[in-house]
Amino acid sequence: DFNNTAFTSIGNNINPFQGRFYGNGHTISNIVIDQSTQDYIGLFGYISKEPNEGRQYLVQAPFQGDSASVEGLGLINATITGNTYVGGIVGYADKCEYIKDCYVTNSTITANSYVGGIAGYAQTNVYQGISYCYSNNNNISGTNYVAGIVGADYTTVKNCYSTSVVKNSSSSFGDWTYWKRGPIIGGDKENPATVANDCYYLANWNGTPNLNTDTTLHAKEVSSDSLKNTTFILNIMQNTDFSADVFNVN
């Protein structure tokens, strides 16, 4: 418990986090990251390390390989503010292996562009994508590319769910920024929200899926009763650290 102590994101575009972080199901609570003029903001601001460049572990993890990754971590009651590329767990993910088995709950995440409950931006070379993550009861807001899981995504997103409220600053159907928000993925520049598999969200996420490529084709709206059902959650999350978590969703 950080008791609302200020925290600086781990890694940036100059010095990215290059190790493997395995949280082993532990949580971090009541953290404040207030860097409203800065880019690459999150618990991990920027992660990037391709395989076969040597090992650099922060925590020894029970798997093979040497690419950067974040796994098995929960973030609770966080307040995170940044400019661009802002996420609860990772701000920007590039040339790395994966983000998986992570969650953010009861938090406020605010930025200008590329903002998500789990990650702000994920490149195509996040080799195994984002999986088995959830964003629960968060308030996520920005101007452009805003979403419950990842603001802008060029990799795969699978077995994730969001019960968070997503807002952007435009509500006009004629404004392109309106199209760049979603319950799971905000979009990508070429094919918005085409890579979400086995992902779910609540109807009250506070927006319409991307109008040019309908997010509901790739992520499914479900009732709050479904997300209170242990069997349903187990089917989504499978055998991950947080697979048994069931929240009192409104």
Side-chain angles (χ1 to χ4, degrees), residues 41-65:
I41 302 300
L43 188 64
F44 294 87
Y46 197 116
I47 66 171
S48 178
K49 189 178 186 183
E50 292 187 276
N52 304 318
E53 294 182 4
R55 298 177 184 274
Q56 184 177 357
Y57 292 106
L58 179 62
V59 177
Q60 184 66 39
F63 39 66
Q64 301 296 317

Side-chain angles (χ1 to χ4, degrees), residues 50-102:
E50 292 187 276
N52 304 318
E53 294 182 4
R55 298 177 184 274
Q56 184 177 357
Y57 292 106
L58 179 62
V59 177
Q60 184 66 39
F63 39 66
Q64 301 296 317
D66 56 12
S67 181
S69 62
V70 179
E71 177 180 2
L73 177 65
L75 190 63
I76 303 170
N77 296 328
T79 302
I80 299 174
T81 306
N83 182 40
T84 303
Y85 309 124
V86 179
I89 302 295
V90 175
Y92 194 102
D94 179 31
K95 298 179 182 177
C96 59
E97 192 163 357
Y98 55 69
I99 303 166
K100 72 176 182 180
D101 194 14
C102 292

Side-chain angles (χ1 to χ4, degrees), residues 9-69:
S9 299
I10 301 168
N12 56 40
N13 60 318
I14 304 300
N15 295 298
F17 174 75
Q18 300 182 59
R20 287 186 178 274
F21 183 89
Y22 181 62
N24 198 30
H26 291 289
T27 61
I28 295 173
S29 59
N30 300 309
I31 196 170
V32 175
I33 303 175
D34 186 2
Q35 298 177 271
S36 60
T37 63
Q38 302 297 311
D39 301 333
Y40 311 111
I41 302 300
L43 188 64
F44 294 87
Y46 197 116
I47 66 171
S48 178
K49 189 178 186 183
E50 292 187 276
N52 304 318
E53 294 182 4
R55 298 177 184 274
Q56 184 177 357
Y57 292 106
L58 179 62
V59 177
Q60 184 66 39
F63 39 66
Q64 301 296 317
D66 56 12
S67 181
S69 62

Side-chain angles (χ1 to χ4, degrees), residues 32-210:
V32 175
I33 303 175
D34 186 2
Q35 298 177 271
S36 60
T37 63
Q38 302 297 311
D39 301 333
Y40 311 111
I41 302 300
L43 188 64
F44 294 87
Y46 197 116
I47 66 171
S48 178
K49 189 178 186 183
E50 292 187 276
N52 304 318
E53 294 182 4
R55 298 177 184 274
Q56 184 177 357
Y57 292 106
L58 179 62
V59 177
Q60 184 66 39
F63 39 66
Q64 301 296 317
D66 56 12
S67 181
S69 62
V70 179
E71 177 180 2
L73 177 65
L75 190 63
I76 303 170
N77 296 328
T79 302
I80 299 174
T81 306
N83 182 40
T84 303
Y85 309 124
V86 179
I89 302 295
V90 175
Y92 194 102
D94 179 31
K95 298 179 182 177
C96 59
E97 192 163 357
Y98 55 69
I99 303 166
K100 72 176 182 180
D101 194 14
C102 292
Y103 75 82
V104 178
T105 188
N106 296 331
S107 297
T108 300
I109 304 170
T110 306
N112 182 21
S113 298
Y114 304 109
V115 53
I118 298 297
Y121 193 104
Q123 279 283 16
T124 54
N125 47 20
V126 180
Y127 300 107
Q128 296 185 44
I130 299 171
S131 60
Y132 307 110
C133 293
Y134 61 84
S135 171
N136 178 64
N137 197 35
N138 302 304
N139 287 297
I140 303 166
S141 60
T143 301
N144 203 11
Y145 295 96
V146 188
I149 297 296
V150 54
D153 179 74
Y154 294 81
T155 185
T156 57
V157 178
K158 63 181 182 179
N159 294 87
C160 294
Y161 70 87
S162 175
T163 69
S164 295
V165 173
V166 177
K167 296 180 180 179
N168 71 346
S169 59
S170 173
S171 60
S172 169
F173 283 89
D175 190 332
W176 176 246
T177 62
Y178 181 84
W179 294 5
K180 296 301 184 181
R181 64 175 176 177
I184 298 295
I185 300 170
D188 69 53
K189 293 179 181 178
E190 287 78 31
N191 292 298
T194 60
V195 288
N197 300 300
D198 296 318
C199 294
Y200 302 86
Y201 63 93
L202 291 184
N204 66 348
W205 72 277
N206 205 41
T208 300
N210 290 354

Side-chain angles (χ1 to χ4, degrees), residues 132 159-161 198 200 227 231-238:
Y132 307 110
N159 294 87
C160 294
Y161 70 87
D198 296 318
Y200 302 86
L227 291 181
T231 300
F232 184 83
I233 296 297
L234 287 173
N235 286 337
I236 300 174
M237 305 303 287
Q238 298 185 10

